[in-house]
Amino acid sequence: MKDGSGDRTRVVLLAAGQGKRMKSDLPKVLHEVLGKTILGRLMAASDELKPEHIHIVIGHEAEQVEKFIQDNPSATPVSTHLQKPQLGTGHALMQVAPSLKDFKGTLVVSVADTPLLTGATFKSLVEAHKESKAVVSLLTTDVDDAKNYGRITRNEKGEVTGIVEHKDATEAQRAIKEINPAIYCFAWPEVEAALSTLKNDNQQKEYYLTDVIGWAHKNSHKIASAKVADWREVAGINSRLELSEAIRLMRDITVNNLALESGVTIVDTQGTWISPEVKIGKDTVVLPGCYLAGEIEIGQKCTIGPNTVMKGVVHVGDNTTVAQSLVQNSDIGSNCKVGPFSHLREHTVLHDQVKVGNFVEVKKSVINNKTNASHLSYIGDSTLGSGVNIGAGTITANYDHITKKKERTTICDGASTGSNSVLVAPVTLEEGAVVAAGTVVTKTVPKGALAITRTPQKNHEGWAEERKRKAEAAKLEAAK
Ligand code: UD1
Ligand code: CA
């Protein structure tokens, strides 16, 4: 909520670190987990809190991260804060503090390398924080292998007393199985006072945000903690292997939900990759080898796959089949047949009962009801009416290499093209127009007319025999 000083919420995402262990030119937070970057996922989870603002601390490869944020605007106003050099997670928050002068409320602070973190978990932490009226609240979770995570220390009463980083921990502390996912709520501006007390006298010579917890304990400020049942939801990604694990886990969660909640058959649950944003209707079957990542909505009783990739924003109606195909940012209607081996590129719209078959590529085109393009075609920058038949090998020549311009082709209802015809755009086939096989169309074909540009066929009687005879005669001559 945005008004009433006590109810104000802002989010800080710490995304300035290098992510050395990823061994990548790409900043860690821009690596993708099923079609969406880690940072994009964190921003979406933050949006669910409906905060008044999201502050993102950037540093390593800041320009790339900044560009990503600009290209992917969030529902919430976002500002970026440059941290250079990167002297630790506490130092990262110090870069945001000056922008929070007029802010009084709950400051949610999270690391930005936890792609499986959901809005629901964020919400449960904020609720626990508000209910307990704590000054500092944190998520914790129990793990078998505590790796390099910060360990939660508690006193004999079970109260949280602080966090000790793995590198600074004693053997006894390293045995602690309750770890710090690094997702906190701070009462602001109360916690601002902690920042000036942070010191870098530790193994990593960094200003640790984790020391805020020890500060709160020392100063008898109330600390609340909430446990996450499955540690994997708050796991931080530090290496490529951990990235793969996160992708697999996200896949498992999504596939389980679709199978159990939505009534979708997923034939090969290990060999099918679906991102959590994807919605699929009842009784649709997803065959092995599919990768569906994006804002994708598929209707009921469809058959998707095998080996089909859908990316970006894709809608599919009911009773549609998409086999062995690649579909990007396109809409497919109901009762359509796509594939095998079709490529629907950006801004393609297929209405109902459309057939797009083998080796057909469609780009920025609208194809109306009951139109078929069954074999070996390129349809680009075109509008096709209903009941059109596109013959095998028909090409819309939409690109002028000299002017570098793309032109449109319009094919009206009931028109048809013969095999291997080329429609040189801009051009229109009016209603019911017929294009003969092998024709190159460069001007409008009027309603109901036949366009034919072939030279008339001539037959040379006996030509083959004659040729054979001549060849044999030449051979005999040469042997002499
Ligand atoms: C941090 C926590 C650790 C916790 C773990 C959870 C500290 C000191 N440690 O360790 O207790 O168990 O996360 O995953 O906080 N970042 C900056 N600026 C910096 C350094 C880091 O913005 O100067 C950002 C990174 O981009 C990253 C996040 O903070 O998103 C965490 O940094 P990372 O180096 O991964 O910290 P961990 O060692 O994992
Ligand atoms: Ca980390």
Side-chain angles (χ1 to χ4, degrees), residues 31-218:
H31 280 261
E32 279 192 5
V33 175
L34 293 182
K36 215 169 180 165
T37 64
I38 300 175
L39 181 59
R41 294 206 170 277
L42 264 294
M43 287 165 69
S46 304
D47 275 343
E48 286 187 45
L49 287 173
K50 299 201 174 14
E52 59 180 41
H53 202 95
I54 302 175
H55 302 268
I56 305 180
V57 184
I58 60 175
H60 177 70
E61 294 287 351
E63 305 73 28
Q64 276 193 67
V65 183
E66 177 89 52
K67 183 171 186 311
F68 168 81
I69 294 165
Q70 269 169 18
D71 293 348
N72 295 274
S74 136
T76 310
V78 174
S79 59
T80 55
H81 305 261
L82 192 64
Q83 182 198 16
K84 243 171 194 171
Q86 292 95 43
L87 303 178
T89 47
H91 180 250
L93 183 58
M94 289 176 201
Q95 313 312 307
V96 181
S99 310
L100 298 171
K101 286 230 156 56
D102 300 322
F103 176 66
K104 186 170 166 23
T106 300
L107 192 67
V108 180
V109 180
S110 174
V111 291
D113 62 354
T114 48
L116 286 144
L117 183 66
T118 60
T121 300
F122 257 151
K123 275 184 197 159
S124 69
L125 175 65
V126 172
E127 269 160 31
H129 177 75
K130 286 185 175 166
E131 238 163 64
S132 64
K133 297 198 163 55
V135 172
V136 170
S137 301
L138 66 156
L139 291 174
T140 77
T141 191
D142 294 329
V143 293
D144 290 333
D145 176 5
K147 298 186 190 166
N148 290 321
Y149 285 109
R151 311 297 205 273
I152 307 291
T153 59
R154 291 181 183 266
N155 61 18
E156 54 294 338
K157 284 189 257 169
E159 295 161 342
V160 174
T161 56
I163 297 170
V164 57
E165 286 305 291
H166 176 84
K167 287 191 178 143
D168 303 301
T170 62
E171 275 313 306
Q173 287 168 328
R174 285 186 180 185
I176 297 171
K177 300 288 188 205
E178 187 183 18
I179 60 102
N180 168 39
I183 300 152
Y184 321 92
C185 277
F186 297 148
W188 204 264
E190 288 82 344
V191 172
E192 190 176 6
L195 297 184
S196 55
T197 70
L198 300 183
K199 295 203 173 64
N200 66 348
D201 53 354
N202 50 51
Q203 281 293 322
Q204 306 189 77
K205 302 275 174 287
E206 284 182 358
Y207 297 92
Y208 290 164
L209 189 59
T210 45
D211 288 345
V212 168
I213 316 306
W215 165 88
H217 177 70
K218 244 179 254 151

